[in-house]
Amino acid sequence: MELDYHPELQGLTVRRPQLKLLQDVPFPAWVADNWETVKTFQARPDDLLIATYPKSGTTWIQEIVDLINENGDVKMCKRAPVYERIPFFEFFLDPLPTGIELIDKMASPRMMKTHLPIQLVPKSFWEQDCKTILVARNAKDCLVSYFHFHRMTESMPEPGTWSEFLQKFMKGRVSWGSWYDHVKGWWEAKDKHRILFLFYEDIKENPRREILKMAKFMEKVLEQDVIEKIVHHSSFDVMKDNPMANYTTIPTGFMDQNISRFMRKGEVGDWKNHFTVSQNEDFDEHYARQMVHSSLKFRNVL
Ligand code: A3P
């Protein structure tokens, strides 16, 4: 399955990290140990940030944003794997290049992805009034996707069993912390900064409509045929077979797609195949308590 993209990385193996707290939010040690570098990053006014809680469709948005930026030029968007075209800001896993090293080499306008909760985004992004595309996905599908992701990548701590992981997720004791705090934090900030707040479920429902929102936010005008091309090339079925989008360029010692594919299902409602009735009841009750004071509403949660 692996490609020859970086032959020098073929034998790469990664050891599962511990979680470490940063301002009470758990992170893989490889993020926490490099925090000074993250915190002091100097943003530029035309930097575009793609922000998500993990497994909310980040890669999907990265592909769409790159396609918009390249005016639907599919060949251009196959110039490198998605994690190099739109680097992962807080990524520090030896011997791979760090996110910031890749970003430093980019010409403006630069695009990058982050999973940071809003309160930990380096202040220079706000001083420079940068734009952010935020994508949120319903908690249950996010959790299911995160569980399978933990199984297949050594860059995350051991997930334990499904029911153990479910408990950890509800308590926010997973990498990048509480889903609830993450989405509520960004939701509250959305009118204070230049933030386009999108939902995974909306993009699934009508990708064209949401792609147009993103293009408008990026101040790009797209011809009709370009829009159709972007819809097609960012669809799950096309992305899952695109080595420049599906992470098969990453060695199996880091991500083992024989355990679970990175492009796993790409559906809304797969949680129904994982939760027991009683897990679902507990989750709903806990969810209602966590979200009671927020005006943020998700579809397809129940
Ligand atoms: P599943 O595990 O539910 O399949 P991220 O990029 O934030 O890590 O999110 C990964 C999730 O987004 C995975 O969810 C993946 O399949 C899904 N995904 C990736 N590309 C997609 C696309 N084009 N359409 C729908 N879902 C997509």
Side-chain angles (χ1 to χ4, degrees):
M1 209 188 290
E2 278 171 40
L3 272 197
D4 258 359
Y5 189 70
H6 278 306
E8 76 280 10
L9 297 177
Q10 280 300 309
L12 173 73
T13 51
V14 172
R15 285 188 52 206
R16 286 187 182 271
Q18 300 287 319
L19 289 183
K20 287 191 176 177
L21 292 179
L22 280 171
Q23 295 179 28
D24 286 334
V25 181
F27 284 93
W30 47 263
V31 178
D33 292 345
N34 291 286
W35 192 242
E36 271 313 301
T37 314
V38 171
K39 210 170 93 179
T40 53
F41 178 77
Q42 279 308 305
R44 298 180 191 161
D46 54 1
D47 284 346
L48 175 68
L49 201 56
I50 297 172
T52 57
Y53 187 81
K55 312 320 285 178
S56 301
T58 330
T59 315
W60 192 9
I61 305 306
Q62 286 171 277
E63 194 65 21
I64 292 173
V65 161
D66 196 33
L67 281 159
I68 293 174
N69 200 45
E70 299 296 343
N71 199 37
D73 184 338
V74 173
K75 209 166 146 226
M76 245 331 251
C77 294
K78 291 190 175 168
R79 66 193 180 281
V82 63
Y83 50 83
E84 289 183 10
R85 285 179 280 137
I86 301 189
F88 182 5
F89 181 55
E90 66 269 25
F91 182 83
F92 295 86
L93 257 181
D94 243 10
L96 296 165
T98 72
I100 291 176
E101 278 167 1
L102 293 173
I103 293 163
D104 281 344
K105 286 189 193 143
M106 289 171 91
S108 288
R110 308 179 299 184
M111 304 173 292
M112 56 201 88
K113 90 163 197 206
T114 183
H115 294 315
L116 293 175
I118 184 113
Q119 72 277 18
L120 289 172
V121 172
K123 63 179 186 330
S124 116
F125 282 100
W126 310 130
E127 286 164 357
Q128 298 295 335
D129 198 21
C130 296
K131 288 185 187 177
T132 304
I133 300 182
L134 185 293
V135 184
R137 185 181 194 185
N138 79 77
K140 291 177 188 175
D141 285 334
C142 231
L143 154 59
V144 166
S145 184
Y146 214 5
F147 173 63
H148 290 294
F149 184 63
H150 274 70
R151 293 173 51 237
M152 63 85 84
T153 181
E154 298 289 319
S155 62
M156 294 288 124
E158 284 285 352
T161 63
W162 158 249
S163 60
E164 284 164 355
F165 190 76
L166 173 80
Q167 291 303 321
K168 284 189 259 193
F169 183 92
M170 286 164 69
K171 290 177 185 145
R173 294 195 192 137
V174 289
S175 304
W176 286 275
S178 155
W179 175 93
Y180 311 91
D181 292 347
H182 199 283
V183 295
K184 285 189 290 187
W186 278 97
W187 179 252
E188 277 155 30
K190 76 177 180 351
D191 301 322
K192 297 182 196 137
H193 302 290
R194 297 201 290 169
I195 297 173
L196 177 68
F197 200 107
L198 301 175
F199 293 91
Y200 180 98
E201 294 74 20
D202 290 347
I203 314 172
K204 274 302 274 191
E205 179 185 73
N206 190 337
R208 193 175 188 284
R209 179 189 64 208
E210 303 301 306
I211 287 168
L212 285 174
K213 279 190 204 165
M214 288 183 238
K216 187 169 176 227
F217 187 68
M218 293 167 66
E219 295 166 56
K220 299 272 182 191
V221 179
L222 305 173
E223 298 292 334
Q224 214 45 247
D225 60 324
V226 171
I227 300 168
E228 300 320 319
K229 232 194 225 174
I230 296 177
V231 170
H232 176 72
H233 283 282
S234 62
S235 68
F236 183 80
D237 285 343
V238 172
M239 277 182 64
K240 83 174 172 13
D241 294 329
N242 174 4
M244 293 299 151
N246 66 13
Y247 279 86
T248 51
T249 47
I250 296 277
T252 49
F254 181 167
M255 283 187 187
D256 189 346
Q257 305 222 20
N258 299 308
I259 297 175
S260 180
R261 313 274 305 197
F262 186 90
M263 296 285 166
R264 198 182 56 88
K265 281 198 176 174
E267 289 171 3
V268 176
D270 186 41
W271 64 267
K272 289 174 189 156
N273 299 315
H274 291 75
F275 283 66
T276 65
V277 172
S278 105
Q279 283 171 344
N280 195 37
E281 283 169 4
D282 291 349
F283 193 93
D284 285 349
E285 196 193 305
H286 175 259
Y287 185 94
R289 271 187 273 123
Q290 293 290 318
M291 301 300 278
V292 65
H293 296 302
S294 177
S295 59
L296 173 58
K297 303 283 175 245
F298 283 81
R299 299 189 286 147
N300 311 94
V301 188
L302 301 172

